Amino acid sequence: MKTIAISNLKGGVGKTTVTVNLGAALAREGKRVLLVDLDPQANLTDHLGVDFRRVTGVEKFLDQQVSFQDVYLTYNDNMHFLPAGRELAKLETALYNMFPTKAKRYFTIKDAFGDADIPYDYVLLDCPPSLGFITINALAFAEEVYVPIQCHYLALRGLGKILALVDIVKKKYNEGLKIGAVIPVMYDRRNKISGFVLDKLHKHFEDRLTDAKIRTNVALAESPRFGKSIFDHAPDSNGAKDFKALAVEIIKRG
Ligand SMILES: Nc1ncnc2c1ncn2[C@@H]1O[C@H](COP(=O)(O)OP(=O)(O)O)[C@@H](O)[C@H]1O
Ligand SMILES: [Mg+2]
């Protein structure tokens, strides 16, 4: 089982889109995939066609009030997900208040998964954009971080924050944590800035920058409205092609 946190401390950069569609692409390649919605805004849950106000949310599992079997939902045979519920925002405060058992504040996600029997090849954690306890918990649990980055000039500016956070978590809570992939998203070949940003990213991240690039594609923006991954909404779109290429590359890297 490989646990991957999809994180970037900026909002609107494609984290949820990558989590859903990379997950769906891995599932189509025969991998068993679990997605976890860790953002109180519940965008992933919404994207997969589920009303977060009506489900038992992931927070109840993290709190160990219910078992894994009581909370996971099925998107298809190979892809399951843990939806965010309406109390997920409160978990952030609850973790903050977990003084004096201080260490526990950082390992709530790890502890919940550690005790559960979960048979997946990939667990993808869709992180919130905030630097809070939920994000730190996700990084303290994950083996790797995948950072989606928009091919826009200002996106480079925000990158320092997530790199610094990964460093801190690595030192304090999760020695083995590494940046496994930096994924260019909202790429537009015709736009000079896209090439400039890719060049910079390549210099800094070398082969951790994926060859696969996710192009700007309307179908990717539309598919949440239908509660579907790109493969079920628009299987012939560039979005579907790009995410398939990304999944194949990720599997090859092992
Ligand atoms: N490659 C893309 N092409 C077109 N629209 C995209 C693409 N990636 C993401 N989007 C859209 O951009 C918005 C932000 O993406 P999202 O995945 O929700 O970001 P985050 O989870 O980082 O906040 C959403 O409306 C999404 O549909
Ligand atoms: Mg999101």
Side-chain angles (χ1 to χ4, degrees), residues 16 39 43 126:
T16 300
D39 188 344
N43 289 163
D126 184 21

Side-chain angles (χ1 to χ4, degrees), residues 11-108:
V13 300
K15 292 182 292 295
T16 300
T17 305
V18 167
T19 309
V20 167
N21 295 302
L22 173 59
L26 289 166
R28 280 167 57 92
E29 298 298 316
K31 302 296 178 187
R32 286 177 308 167
V33 177
L34 176 72
L35 310 181
V36 186
D37 191 350
L38 292 175
D39 188 344
Q41 293 185 55
N43 289 163
L44 181 139
T45 303
D46 205 8
H47 192 145
L48 296 178
V50 168
D51 183 345
F52 79 103
R53 290 165 301 187
R54 307 176 75 108
V55 289
T56 303
V58 63
E59 64 275 12
K60 297 228 158 50
F61 164 66
L62 299 178
D63 231 6
Q64 310 210 6
Q65 292 176 42
V66 299
S67 73
F68 182 80
Q69 277 65 29
D70 293 328
V71 66
Y72 84 81
L73 299 176
T74 300
Y75 179 76
N76 62 32
D77 282 353
N78 275 355
M79 187 162 94
H80 296 167
F81 64 106
L82 298 181
R86 50 199 312 170
E87 312 274 299
L88 183 54
K90 287 190 194 153
L91 183 69
E92 189 73 54
T93 329
L95 290 169
Y96 176 78
N97 289 332
M98 251 189 222
F99 204 75
T101 50
K102 215 171 152 193
K104 176 88 180 140
R105 299 198 290 195
Y106 303 107
F107 298 115
T108 292

Side-chain angles (χ1 to χ4, degrees), residues 219-231:
L220 284 171
E222 286 169 351
S223 56
R225 220 181 93 212
F226 301 94
K228 290 178 175 173
S229 82
I230 192 69
F231 299 99

Side-chain angles (χ1 to χ4, degrees), residues 2 4 18-31 33 79 122 124 146 181 183 210-214 230-231 238-254:
K2 193 157 188 164
I4 299 164
V18 167
T19 309
V20 167
N21 295 302
L22 173 59
L26 289 166
R28 280 167 57 92
E29 298 298 316
K31 302 296 178 187
V33 177
M79 187 162 94
Y122 289 89
L124 306 183
Y146 286 7
I183 305 166
T210 57
D211 291 330
K213 304 174 208 23
I214 309 302
I230 192 69
F231 299 99
N238 283 339
K241 286 178 197 139
D242 293 348
F243 273 105
K244 180 183 162 81
L246 180 64
V248 169
E249 185 177 344
I250 298 287
I251 292 167
K252 235 187 232 159
R253 287 170 173 219

